[in-house]
């Protein structure tokens, strides 16, 4: 946007989008990287979100999403998303699932409207209602993985976008 504005000032471009470019340039210049106490506070909220994403209950999942949410590229509303997540977990025979943020990987920025943009890695532990044989014993099937999330959070720390 700055380059566009500079080219308009130099007469290289007509400038038909100056107002929009100035607005976007101002917005982008006001985005701050979260550090110190602000980042620590956000990390606590990320912990609550991870705990919320670990729920198998629709009502609990709804609580962590903004009314309108983008979930891995699909725009929807929080109630439908929570129902979809619970159904998917049930269909996959997931007994429990837990997400634990890797605190040192959390990087965040906040805009002048209070929207937080967060990148982080999480440990994901899944236990299924599927028995597997381990020697003479049978136990629930378990999986561990690391996931990377990019989140947009409202000023009230509700997920409005997750990818």
């Amino acid at each position: 946007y700055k380059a566009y504005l500079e080219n308009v000032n130099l007469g290289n471009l007509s400038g038909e989008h100056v107002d929009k470019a100035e607005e976007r340039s101002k917005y982008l210049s006001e985005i701050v990287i979260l550090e110190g106490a602000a980042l620590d506070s956000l990390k606590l909220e990320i912990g609550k979100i991870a705990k919320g994403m670990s729920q198998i209950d629709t009502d609990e999942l709804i609580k962590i999403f903004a009314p309108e949410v983008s979930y891995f590229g699909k725009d929807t509303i929080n109630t439908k998303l929570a129902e979809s997540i619970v159904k998917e977990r049930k269909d996959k025979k997931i007994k429990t699932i837990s997400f634990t943020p890797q605190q040192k990987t959390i990087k965040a920025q906040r805009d002048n409207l209070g929207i937080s943009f967060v990148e982080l890695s999480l440990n994901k532990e899944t236990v299924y209602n599927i028995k597997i044989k381990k020697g003479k014993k049978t136990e629930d099937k378990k999986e561990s993985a690391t996931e990377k999330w990019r989140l947009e959070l409202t000023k009230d720390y509700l997920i409005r976008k997750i990818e």
Side-chain angles (χ1 to χ4, degrees), residues 46-61:
I46 295 296
K48 292 175 189 175
I49 288 169
K51 184 177 179 182
M53 282 295 289
S54 300
Q55 299 298 314
I56 305 290
D57 179 76
T58 303
D59 292 336
E60 292 301 313
L61 278 166

Side-chain angles (χ1 to χ4, degrees), residues 65-69 76-79 154 158-159:
F65 293 109
E68 294 180 357
V69 62
T76 187
I77 59 174
N78 60 358
T79 52
T154 67
L158 298 175
I159 298 172

